[in-house]
PDB file of all heavy atoms in Angstrom:
ATOM      1  N   LEU A  42     171.608  45.757-156.673  1.00  0.00           N
ATOM      2  CA  LEU A  42     171.915  46.478-157.892  1.00  0.00           C
ATOM      3  C   LEU A  42     171.589  45.694-159.100  1.00  0.00           C
ATOM      4  O   LEU A  42     171.746  44.493-159.173  1.00  0.00           O
ATOM      5  CB  LEU A  42     173.466  46.777-157.917  1.00  0.00           C
ATOM      6  CG  LEU A  42     173.912  47.867-156.957  1.00  0.00           C
ATOM      7  CD1 LEU A  42     175.477  47.828-156.791  1.00  0.00           C
ATOM      8  CD2 LEU A  42     173.496  49.264-157.415  1.00  0.00           C
ATOM      9  N   GLU A  46     174.765  47.471-162.615  1.00  0.00           N
ATOM     10  CA  GLU A  46     174.963  48.524-161.571  1.00  0.00           C
ATOM     11  C   GLU A  46     174.456  49.897-162.028  1.00  0.00           C
ATOM     12  O   GLU A  46     174.961  50.892-161.525  1.00  0.00           O
ATOM     13  CB  GLU A  46     176.407  48.580-161.117  1.00  0.00           C
ATOM     14  CG  GLU A  46     176.918  47.270-160.478  1.00  0.00           C
ATOM     15  CD  GLU A  46     178.286  47.344-159.947  1.00  0.00           C
ATOM     16  OE1 GLU A  46     178.929  48.457-160.123  1.00  0.00           O
ATOM     17  OE2 GLU A  46     178.762  46.404-159.359  1.00  0.00           O
ATOM     18  N   SER A 152     166.859  42.507-169.860  1.00  0.00           N
ATOM     19  CA  SER A 152     168.179  42.978-170.237  1.00  0.00           C
ATOM     20  C   SER A 152     168.001  44.125-171.284  1.00  0.00           C
ATOM     21  O   SER A 152     166.923  44.418-171.757  1.00  0.00           O
ATOM     22  CB  SER A 152     169.022  41.880-170.854  1.00  0.00           C
ATOM     23  OG  SER A 152     168.418  41.365-172.022  1.00  0.00           O
ATOM     24  N   SER A 200     157.055  25.886-146.893  1.00  0.00           N
ATOM     25  CA  SER A 200     156.327  25.194-145.826  1.00  0.00           C
ATOM     26  C   SER A 200     156.450  25.886-144.522  1.00  0.00           C
ATOM     27  O   SER A 200     155.673  25.550-143.581  1.00  0.00           O
ATOM     28  CB  SER A 200     156.813  23.750-145.687  1.00  0.00           C
ATOM     29  OG  SER A 200     158.181  23.759-145.364  1.00  0.00           O
ATOM     30  N   GLY A 352     157.844  18.993-110.482  1.00  0.00           N
ATOM     31  CA  GLY A 352     157.431  20.297-109.958  1.00  0.00           C
ATOM     32  C   GLY A 352     156.840  21.122-111.073  1.00  0.00           C
ATOM     33  O   GLY A 352     157.372  21.109-112.246  1.00  0.00           O
ATOM     34  N   VAL A 565     190.730  46.503-125.302  1.00  0.00           N
ATOM     35  CA  VAL A 565     191.539  47.333-126.232  1.00  0.00           C
ATOM     36  C   VAL A 565     190.721  47.711-127.415  1.00  0.00           C
ATOM     37  O   VAL A 565     190.800  48.877-127.893  1.00  0.00           O
ATOM     38  CB  VAL A 565     192.751  46.471-126.699  1.00  0.00           C
ATOM     39  CG1 VAL A 565     193.377  47.020-128.034  1.00  0.00           C
ATOM     40  CG2 VAL A 565     193.850  46.494-125.643  1.00  0.00           C
ATOM     41  N   GLU A 600     211.255  47.107-129.755  1.00  0.00           N
ATOM     42  CA  GLU A 600     212.398  46.273-129.393  1.00  0.00           C
ATOM     43  C   GLU A 600     213.465  46.417-130.445  1.00  0.00           C
ATOM     44  O   GLU A 600     214.664  46.459-130.076  1.00  0.00           O
ATOM     45  CB  GLU A 600     211.989  44.826-129.285  1.00  0.00           C
ATOM     46  CG  GLU A 600     211.195  44.569-127.988  1.00  0.00           C
ATOM     47  CD  GLU A 600     210.578  43.170-127.995  1.00  0.00           C
ATOM     48  OE1 GLU A 600     210.803  42.378-128.958  1.00  0.00           O
ATOM     49  OE2 GLU A 600     209.757  42.869-127.068  1.00  0.00           O
ATOM     50  N   GLU A 614     231.686  52.622-129.433  1.00  0.00           N
ATOM     51  CA  GLU A 614     232.678  52.264-128.370  1.00  0.00           C
ATOM     52  C   GLU A 614     233.782  51.358-129.014  1.00  0.00           C
ATOM     53  O   GLU A 614     234.976  51.555-128.709  1.00  0.00           O
ATOM     54  CB  GLU A 614     231.970  51.502-127.226  1.00  0.00           C
ATOM     55  CG  GLU A 614     231.180  52.422-126.354  1.00  0.00           C
ATOM     56  CD  GLU A 614     230.440  51.597-125.239  1.00  0.00           C
ATOM     57  OE1 GLU A 614     230.825  50.410-125.053  1.00  0.00           O
ATOM     58  OE2 GLU A 614     229.549  52.155-124.633  1.00  0.00           O
ATOM     59  N   ARG A 635     223.104  38.045-135.701  1.00  0.00           N
ATOM     60  CA  ARG A 635     223.842  36.926-136.292  1.00  0.00           C
ATOM     61  C   ARG A 635     222.852  35.881-136.842  1.00  0.00           C
ATOM     62  O   ARG A 635     223.096  35.260-137.903  1.00  0.00           O
ATOM     63  CB  ARG A 635     224.773  36.309-135.212  1.00  0.00           C
ATOM     64  CG  ARG A 635     226.056  36.996-135.076  1.00  0.00           C
ATOM     65  CD  ARG A 635     227.019  36.253-134.193  1.00  0.00           C
ATOM     66  NE  ARG A 635     226.636  36.383-132.781  1.00  0.00           N
ATOM     67  CZ  ARG A 635     227.201  35.673-131.780  1.00  0.00           C
ATOM     68  NH1 ARG A 635     228.129  34.811-132.080  1.00  0.00           N
ATOM     69  NH2 ARG A 635     226.797  35.826-130.544  1.00  0.00           N
ATOM     70  N   LYS A 654     201.971  43.207-140.696  1.00  0.00           N
ATOM     71  CA  LYS A 654     200.936  43.075-141.649  1.00  0.00           C
ATOM     72  C   LYS A 654     200.438  44.461-142.207  1.00  0.00           C
ATOM     73  O   LYS A 654     200.386  45.371-141.458  1.00  0.00           O
ATOM     74  CB  LYS A 654     199.730  42.340-141.096  1.00  0.00           C
ATOM     75  CG  LYS A 654     199.920  40.872-140.844  1.00  0.00           C
ATOM     76  CD  LYS A 654     198.652  40.267-140.319  1.00  0.00           C
ATOM     77  CE  LYS A 654     198.854  38.794-140.022  1.00  0.00           C
ATOM     78  NZ  LYS A 654     197.670  38.205-139.404  1.00  0.00           N
TER      79      LYS A 654
END
Side-chain angles (χ1 to χ4, degrees):
L42 287 166
E46 298 186 357
S152 63
S200 60
V565 159
E600 287 169 5
E614 287 177 14
R635 277 188 286 171
K654 287 183 183 175

